[in-house]
Amino acid sequence: MNILKHYRKIWAIEHAQSLLGWDMEVNMPKMGITERSVAKGELSVLAQSLTLDPKFLDLVEKASALETLNDYEKGVIRVLQREIKIAKAFPPEFVRELSEVRSKATMAWSEAKEKDNFRKFEPWLDRIIELSKKAAEYLGYDEYPYDALLDLYEEGLRTKDLEPIFEKLEKDLKPILEQILEAGKISNEHPLEREKYEIQAMEEVNLRILELLGYPLGVKGRLDVSPHPFTSGFGINDVRVTTRYEGFDFRRTLLAVVHEFGHALYELQVDERFMFSPIARGVSLGIHESQSRFWENIIGRSKEFAELIYPLLKEKLPFIRNYTTEDLYAYLNMVRPDYIRVEADEVTYNMHILLRYKLEKLMINEEVKARELPELWNDELERLLGIRPKNYKEGILQDIHWAHATVGYFPTYSLGTLLAAQIKNYILKDMPDFYEKITTGEFAPIREWLKQKVHRYGSVYSPKELLEKSFGEGINPEYFIKYIKEKYLD
Amino acid sequence: MNILKHYRKIWAIEHAQSLLGWDMEVNMPKMGITERSVAKGELSVLAQSLTLDPKFLDLVEKASALETLNDYEKGVIRVLQREIKIAKAFPPEFVRELSEVRSKATMAWSEAKEKDNFRKFEPWLDRIIELSKKAAEYLGYDEYPYDALLDLYEEGLRTKDLEPIFEKLEKDLKPILEQILEAGKISNEHPLEREKYEIQAMEEVNLRILELLGYPLGVKGRLDVSPHPFTSGFGINDVRVTTRYEGFDFRRTLLAVVHEFGHALYELQVDERFMFSPIARGVSLGIHESQSRFWENIIGRSKEFAELIYPLLKEKLPFIRNYTTEDLYAYLNMVRPDYIRVEADEVTYNMHILLRYKLEKLMINEEVKARELPELWNDELERLLGIRPKNYKEGILQDIHWAHATVGYFPTYSLGTLLAAQIKNYILKDMPDFYEKITTGEFAPIREWLKQKVHRYGSVYSPKELLEKSFGEGINPEYFIKYIKEKYLD
């Protein structure tokens, strides 16, 4: 297939871009940004021009008209048509500018966050709002400009799909949260939060947990440190995760590692035959997040997982001797309205997304300036969770996403969180001893089940098609609400 | 200048290629090679096709005919014409194959070396010999095929330039070595060789030494670990060095760091105005090696440097308490026929290159198979230094270069070593207190002198032009012989 031969060049550029990005967060010396941002910009333009090569367009066009395509081929064409649509929409100068602004804004954000100085990031955020609006106009949309951006991260997702989901979440979760806080049975603080750990010991714990879960450390993966935990795949055979170490409240780094493992496993278990092709990766951010959330929440926050890792923690972290497995479980499942999204509990997490979703809609659909956003952020958090950030670090500067110019990305976190609860239901039907398997660390059949249902398909099917095919229904918030009620109210 | 605008795309690919290569040695999980080697191959072909873009060729051709070019512009055109010549010479399939073989052979070499099993590397070495011969034929040559390869690493270098240099080195160094060994005044072993160090403590020493020398750690550089120490530049603002830690004989890692610093400084001090252009890097491997050797040998192995770093070593390495500064100096300047090139002393070092030079000529000019090379290697080492390797690790498998398919590279190490001794003479004329400055760690004026004489020019001038312009003469082995005699026989 000539299409795949040509695509291999684009694939190679994306492989390089991923590494350039990973390196920026993990290794790059500060001043390296000068040349790195230009290199990334040039490579974006190059990939775009290869995507729009007339011969290639012609091949894709002709192939799309064929009636004999199998699912694999249809998937390739579907994904390429999406990429072509995006490449066509953006003028090369815009692509270069977006890529360069993204690199520089990320460095500015990093500094702004470190110094808790929003001013350092503000002009970049304004540029990113402006570029995102432009992007929406270039891409086109039926109803809201924001829809164009949502679709970039979650194929087919529209504001009108999200509205009822977020409405239901707000409506149902607020009273659940109130009930939990009033009942007082679920911890809202825990002495383990204040226990300090040695970074080296904690790193050993994280590495051992990754081994337990079945992550191919050193063979197809590695664990590094970055300001914001993330997963980066350079193909099916090299998928790396990162975490960070604050030196206390070890749950943060531990759950981040379990979360990123979920992302990595998806990329690692894509069918090897798809290698170098446009479908050799997870299909969307929502589906991706369902995998990370499944491992983080459904497995990582279960009683069985607490039992499994307790001896390991006791061996490596001296203070654990003073706590029981029940303490560990309570600590991993505290519910408390708090500031930082990535550390939020299962009950309040979606409120954080709701906040960002509202702000993003304002940024893209209305006239709002970066300057006004910190205040809007704080007001909205207060409305949703009754607390108000005291500084930028625990407010608007906490996330890297806007610095990455990925407006429209946040809602996929909620989709993934909801979907993880659905997947728990489905796997329990096929594997009634799912929770027993966690206790014994028997993760191979769980990995295999996820591979069969989701991972192996890569991007062959669109998110909606995949869910329909493997589970017979789309995203449905009822499962999540039920899961939360059972876990925290019963 | 439209030429530079187009070149920026090629520059971006090379920036990415450098990072992909650096990552392979420093970070990449094993299996990552599957996709990495394909990515590197595709990017090589892409860079080649951009270099041969007819519009670009036309622009370069027209510019080269202009009479009004300044030195900077002439340099850009000279370098581009070299790159175009190479790109034209190699068919795209050859470029892809070479790049992929290089990646895979490097992994095979790494494994072969670890297991001391030449068989694992042998088929790759045969392919590399074959591809190198092909490369020579594609590039063309007047006298010997090997000349075509030499020119790749050292613009304008021919076998006929090297023959008299290596002849003189063999003729003069053999009796000097015999005299040194007979006289017995220079140590040929030292108890410090057997002292074990903690890797973390040694890493702190290396980092402190890099700071002393003026390396911008974290700002424009970093120190990592790799199987073979090297320097990799991703532009003027991000130039990284690596070393390795064996856990004993700390001289190895320490001098490797000083050596790599010399390479890095060259790249870091190129005129910033050249950024993103084809002349924004060191002009040749020989000139590059003169910089690393200058720091390693002339500075790093001086009495004054031993005095400078003694207190630091004493602070970090407990065993140093039992030794004096004189011990340290003697240890850094032992002379002993030994197996490993990168650990060789100043007197025997060039013999190691002579050996490789002879083998490379055989590989390229005659019919010799990889299978025969270990024996030839051992015979030649015995002839030159009177010792015979007992295994492959300390014989033919010690260097990464042939795995990288860089046949023709080794001779530049000798050129650099000779040139370093010349530069010592030149700097002493301009800076009579050069050695006093080392004692006090006052390296800024030394860095500045090197910048003015060599670094800032990047590749504006060809190696021969640069030496003529800055020093009034080309490579002349007399300086080196005189330096060795004075240091080791007087």
Side-chain angles (χ1 to χ4, degrees):
Chain A
M1 194 176 182
N2 261 324
I3 289 180
L4 290 182
K5 201 183 157 202
H6 179 89
Y7 182 78
R8 210 173 260 228
K9 291 201 184 80
I10 301 170
W11 172 87
I13 293 178
E14 285 176 4
H15 174 97
Q17 289 277 42
S18 300
L19 189 70
L20 293 172
W22 177 85
D23 181 76
M24 278 172 68
E25 312 275 335
V26 174
N27 290 315
M28 192 180 70
K30 257 190 204 167
M31 297 277 290
I33 188 64
T34 324
E35 278 133 321
R36 180 63 48 87
S37 57
V38 172
K40 291 197 101 254
E42 292 292 340
L43 291 173
S44 300
V45 172
L46 206 51
Q48 187 192 27
S49 75
L50 286 167
T51 304
L52 296 180
D53 181 315
K55 276 183 234 150
F56 183 62
L57 293 183
D58 193 48
L59 283 173
V60 174
E61 171 101 31
K62 279 187 184 136
S64 72
L66 295 174
E67 302 219 335
T68 56
L69 297 181
N70 59 29
D71 280 11
Y72 163 72
E73 292 164 335
K74 272 187 214 153
V76 168
I77 299 300
R78 190 191 92 258
V79 171
L80 286 179
Q81 284 179 322
R82 260 178 74 76
E83 290 188 6
I84 289 167
K85 189 198 145 201
I86 294 165
K88 271 189 181 160
F90 296 155
E93 278 321 308
F94 178 78
V95 171
R96 189 182 283 114
E97 189 185 358
L98 187 63
S99 171
E100 289 191 29
V101 166
R102 186 175 277 165
S103 299
K104 287 181 186 158
T106 304
M107 299 308 271
W109 164 79
S110 189
E111 205 195 332
K113 186 178 173 184
E114 204 188 305
K115 299 187 177 150
D116 196 42
N117 181 349
F118 180 69
R119 282 291 159 96
K120 291 211 177 276
F121 183 53
E122 192 192 302
W124 291 103
L125 185 51
D126 269 326
R127 284 195 72 182
I128 278 161
I129 295 173
E130 178 205 325
L131 288 170
S132 302
K133 282 179 168 182
K134 262 195 184 172
E137 294 307 321
Y138 284 135
L139 290 164
Y141 49 87
D142 289 332
E143 214 168 345
Y144 302 106
Y146 190 50
D147 289 349
L149 303 181
L150 288 175
D151 182 76
L152 281 179
Y153 305 105
E154 193 69 19
E155 194 178 339
L157 183 67
R158 302 287 175 266
T159 307
K160 67 165 185 263
D161 303 319
L162 283 177
E163 280 300 328
I165 293 175
F166 279 122
E167 263 172 37
K168 178 164 178 67
L169 285 176
E170 188 174 343
K171 190 173 98 348
D172 288 10
L173 284 175
K174 267 193 139 179
I176 294 175
L177 178 61
E178 276 162 28
Q179 249 183 288
I180 292 171
L181 295 176
E182 269 169 34
K185 280 195 220 152
I186 305 293
S187 308
N188 65 358
E189 59 174 356
H190 201 284
L192 275 168
E193 291 179 81
R194 289 180 302 277
E195 294 286 5
K196 287 180 184 147
Y197 59 78
E198 293 292 328
I199 289 175
Q200 211 191 322
M202 195 60 222
E203 193 186 31
E204 282 167 29
V205 169
N206 284 339
L207 289 169
R208 288 276 294 277
I209 287 178
L210 283 171
E211 275 168 14
L212 266 176
L213 296 176
Y215 181 66
L217 272 168
V219 181
K220 297 184 182 184
R222 46 181 291 135
L223 172 66
D224 289 278
V225 176
S226 66
H228 194 96
F230 72 106
T231 298
S232 195
F234 313 109
I236 299 169
N237 292 290
D238 183 358
V239 187
R240 309 182 189 176
V241 297
T242 74
T243 189
R244 59 179 165 196
Y245 298 100
E246 286 105 340
F248 64 98
D249 199 4
F250 70 94
R251 174 184 58 180
R252 300 184 191 184
T253 182
L254 189 153
L255 288 174
V257 161
V258 178
H259 178 100
E260 299 306 332
F261 166 77
H263 282 302
L265 190 66
Y266 189 179
E267 297 290 316
L268 287 164
Q269 296 206 120
V270 169
D271 191 326
E272 290 223 349
R273 290 171 299 179
F274 302 169
M275 213 184 289
F276 313 122
S277 87
I279 56 169
R281 57 183 170 236
V283 67
S284 74
L285 295 183
I287 306 290
H288 238 298
E289 192 71 6
S290 75
Q291 299 309 297
S292 56
R293 282 305 199 173
F294 180 78
W295 286 91
E296 178 193 353
N297 287 351
I298 308 300
I299 293 177
R301 295 186 202 258
S302 67
K303 281 206 171 60
E304 292 74 10
F305 193 69
E307 278 169 33
L308 174 70
I309 64 170
Y310 181 79
L312 167 64
L313 294 176
K314 205 164 162 185
E315 183 196 328
K316 301 282 180 188
L317 307 175
F319 57 81
I320 293 289
R321 274 162 242 264
N322 308 322
Y323 300 91
T324 63
T325 317
E326 290 67 34
D327 282 322
L328 178 60
Y329 177 73
Y331 166 61
L332 291 174
N333 289 283
M334 277 170 43
V335 175
R336 176 177 64 207
D338 216 332
Y339 304 103
I340 305 297
R341 175 185 61 84
V342 293
E343 290 153 18
D345 56 77
E346 295 178 293
V347 182
T348 59
Y349 184 86
N350 287 299
M351 303 296 202
H352 292 272
I353 302 302
L354 194 49
L355 177 167
R356 288 153 179 78
Y357 168 65
K358 292 207 172 170
L359 262 57
E360 288 191 343
K361 282 196 299 178
L362 280 175
M363 288 187 224
I364 304 304
N365 298 341
E366 319 284 338
E367 288 299 323
V368 65
K369 290 279 171 208
R371 184 171 26 85
E372 306 160 57
L373 289 171
E375 202 62 17
L376 285 167
W377 179 291
N378 295 355
D379 291 349
E380 185 66 11
L381 194 75
E382 200 164 2
R383 194 182 69 77
L384 288 168
L385 293 178
I387 54 171
R388 198 172 179 89
K390 293 172 298 299
N391 55 47
Y392 298 114
K393 275 188 212 183
E394 57 182 37
I396 193 164
L397 286 181
Q398 67 181 272
D399 294 304
I400 202 171
H401 301 63
W402 291 340
H404 277 178
T406 51
V407 176
Y409 185 131
F410 281 121
T412 66
Y413 286 140
S414 278
L415 296 188
T417 304
L418 304 186
L419 193 49
Q422 291 180 237
I423 291 175
K424 187 208 81 167
N425 265 59
Y426 309 141
I427 198 171
L428 271 171
K429 277 187 197 151
D430 289 355
M431 199 184 286
D433 62 343
F434 167 71
Y435 282 109
E436 287 76 11
K437 285 191 160 54
I438 300 175
T439 320
T440 55
E442 205 192 331
F443 292 114
I446 299 173
R447 292 197 304 269
E448 185 59 26
W449 188 91
L450 291 168
K451 179 177 178 173
Q452 293 308 323
K453 294 289 180 183
V454 180
H455 302 172
R456 68 184 168 116
Y457 295 115
S459 306
V460 169
Y461 304 111
S462 76
K464 284 175 182 171
E465 284 166 353
L466 175 68
L467 295 183
E468 198 54 49
K469 183 183 165 77
S470 287
F471 307 123
E473 66 178 324
I475 288 174
N476 176 350
E478 298 290 354
Y479 289 91
F480 176 75
I481 298 294
K482 185 163 163 279
Y483 163 75
I484 292 293
K485 276 190 185 160
E486 283 174 5
K487 182 161 176 181
Y488 295 95
L489 290 181
D490 283 0
Chain B
M1 194 177 182
N2 260 323
I3 289 180
L4 290 182
K5 199 182 159 205
H6 180 88
Y7 183 78
R8 212 173 258 227
K9 291 202 184 79
I10 302 170
W11 172 86
I13 293 178
E14 284 176 5
H15 174 98
Q17 289 278 42
S18 300
L19 189 71
L20 294 172
W22 176 85
D23 181 77
M24 278 172 70
E25 312 274 336
V26 174
N27 291 316
M28 191 180 71
K30 257 190 203 167
M31 298 277 289
I33 189 64
T34 325
E35 279 133 322
R36 180 63 47 86
S37 57
V38 172
K40 292 197 102 252
E42 292 292 341
L43 291 173
S44 299
V45 172
L46 206 51
Q48 187 192 27
S49 75
L50 286 167
T51 304
L52 296 180
D53 182 314
K55 276 183 235 150
F56 183 61
L57 293 183
D58 194 47
L59 282 173
V60 174
E61 171 102 28
K62 279 188 186 136
S64 72
L66 294 175
E67 303 218 335
T68 54
L69 297 180
N70 59 28
D71 281 12
Y72 163 72
E73 291 164 337
K74 273 186 212 154
V76 168
I77 298 300
R78 191 190 92 258
V79 171
L80 287 179
Q81 284 180 322
R82 259 177 76 76
E83 289 187 8
I84 288 168
K85 189 198 146 200
I86 295 165
K88 271 189 180 161
F90 296 154
E93 279 321 308
F94 178 77
V95 171
R96 189 182 282 113
E97 190 185 356
L98 187 63
S99 171
E100 289 191 30
V101 167
R102 187 173 278 165
S103 299
K104 286 180 186 159
T106 303
M107 299 308 270
W109 164 79
S110 190
E111 203 193 335
K113 185 177 175 185
E114 203 187 307
K115 298 187 177 152
D116 195 44
N117 181 349
F118 180 69
R119 281 293 159 94
K120 291 212 176 275
F121 183 53
E122 191 192 304
W124 291 103
L125 185 53
D126 270 327
R127 283 197 71 184
I128 277 161
I129 294 173
E130 180 206 325
L131 288 170
S132 302
K133 281 178 169 181
K134 261 195 185 171
E137 295 306 322
Y138 285 135
L139 289 164
Y141 49 87
D142 289 333
E143 215 170 344
Y144 302 106
Y146 190 50
D147 289 349
L149 303 181
L150 289 175
D151 182 74
L152 280 179
Y153 305 105
E154 192 70 20
E155 193 178 340
L157 183 67
R158 302 287 174 267
T159 308
K160 69 166 185 263
D161 303 319
L162 283 178
E163 281 299 328
I165 293 175
F166 280 123
E167 263 173 36
K168 176 163 179 70
L169 286 177
E170 188 174 343
K171 191 174 96 348
D172 289 9
L173 285 175
K174 266 193 139 180
I176 294 175
L177 178 60
E178 277 163 29
Q179 250 182 291
I180 292 171
L181 297 176
E182 268 168 35
K185 279 193 222 155
I186 305 292
S187 309
N188 64 359
E189 57 173 1
H190 200 284
L192 275 168
E193 290 178 80
R194 291 179 301 277
E195 294 286 6
K196 286 179 185 148
Y197 60 77
E198 293 292 328
I199 289 175
Q200 210 190 323
M202 194 62 221
E203 193 187 31
E204 281 167 30
V205 170
N206 284 339
L207 290 169
R208 287 277 294 276
I209 287 178
L210 283 171
E211 274 168 15
L212 267 176
L213 297 176
Y215 181 65
L217 274 168
V219 181
K220 298 185 181 185
R222 45 182 290 134
L223 173 66
D224 289 279
V225 176
S226 67
H228 194 97
F230 72 106
T231 298
S232 196
F234 313 109
I236 298 169
N237 292 291
D238 183 358
V239 186
R240 308 181 189 176
V241 298
T242 74
T243 189
R244 59 180 164 196
Y245 297 98
E246 286 105 341
F248 63 97
D249 201 4
F250 70 92
R251 176 183 56 180
R252 299 183 192 185
T253 183
L254 188 153
L255 288 174
V257 161
V258 177
H259 178 100
E260 300 306 332
F261 166 77
H263 282 303
L265 190 66
Y266 189 178
E267 298 289 316
L268 288 164
Q269 296 206 120
V270 168
D271 191 327
E272 290 223 348
R273 289 170 300 176
F274 302 169
M275 213 185 289
F276 313 122
S277 88
I279 56 168
R281 57 185 168 232
V283 65
S284 75
L285 294 182
I287 306 290
H288 238 298
E289 192 71 7
S290 74
Q291 299 308 298
S292 56
R293 282 305 200 174
F294 180 78
W295 286 92
E296 178 193 353
N297 288 350
I298 308 300
I299 293 177
R301 295 185 202 257
S302 67
K303 280 206 172 62
E304 292 74 12
F305 192 69
E307 278 168 34
L308 174 68
I309 64 170
Y310 181 79
L312 167 63
L313 294 176
K314 205 164 163 184
E315 183 196 327
K316 299 283 180 188
L317 307 175
F319 58 80
I320 293 288
R321 276 160 239 264
N322 308 321
Y323 299 91
T324 62
T325 317
E326 289 68 34
D327 282 322
L328 178 61
Y329 177 72
Y331 166 62
L332 291 174
N333 290 282
M334 278 170 40
V335 173
R336 176 177 67 204
D338 217 332
Y339 304 102
I340 305 297
R341 176 184 61 83
V342 293
E343 291 153 18
D345 56 77
E346 294 179 292
V347 182
T348 59
Y349 185 86
N350 287 298
M351 303 297 203
H352 292 272
I353 302 303
L354 194 50
L355 178 168
R356 287 154 178 79
Y357 168 64
K358 291 206 171 172
L359 262 58
E360 287 192 343
K361 282 197 299 179
L362 280 175
M363 287 188 221
I364 304 305
N365 298 339
E366 319 282 337
E367 287 300 323
V368 66
K369 288 278 170 209
R371 183 172 27 83
E372 307 160 56
L373 288 173
E375 200 63 17
L376 286 167
W377 178 292
N378 294 354
D379 291 348
E380 185 65 13
L381 194 75
E382 200 163 3
R383 193 182 70 76
L384 288 168
L385 293 178
I387 54 172
R388 199 173 178 88
K390 294 172 299 297
N391 56 48
Y392 298 113
K393 273 187 214 184
E394 56 183 37
I396 193 162
L397 286 181
Q398 66 182 272
D399 294 303
I400 201 171
H401 301 64
W402 292 339
H404 276 178
T406 51
V407 176
Y409 185 132
F410 281 122
T412 66
Y413 286 141
S414 277
L415 297 188
T417 304
L418 304 186
L419 193 50
Q422 290 180 237
I423 291 174
K424 187 208 81 167
N425 265 58
Y426 309 140
I427 198 172
L428 270 171
K429 277 187 196 149
D430 289 354
M431 199 185 285
D433 62 343
F434 167 69
Y435 281 109
E436 287 76 11
K437 285 190 158 54
I438 299 175
T439 319
T440 55
E442 203 192 331
F443 293 113
I446 298 173
R447 293 197 304 270
E448 184 58 27
W449 188 91
L450 292 168
K451 180 177 180 176
Q452 292 308 324
K453 294 290 180 182
V454 181
H455 302 173
R456 66 184 169 118
Y457 296 115
S459 305
V460 169
Y461 303 111
S462 77
K464 284 174 183 173
E465 284 167 352
L466 175 68
L467 295 183
E468 198 54 50
K469 183 184 164 77
S470 287
F471 306 123
E473 65 179 324
I475 288 174
N476 176 350
E478 298 290 355
Y479 290 89
F480 176 75
I481 298 293
K482 184 164 163 278
Y483 163 74
I484 292 293
K485 277 190 185 162
E486 283 174 6
K487 182 161 176 181
Y488 295 94
L489 290 181
D490 284 359

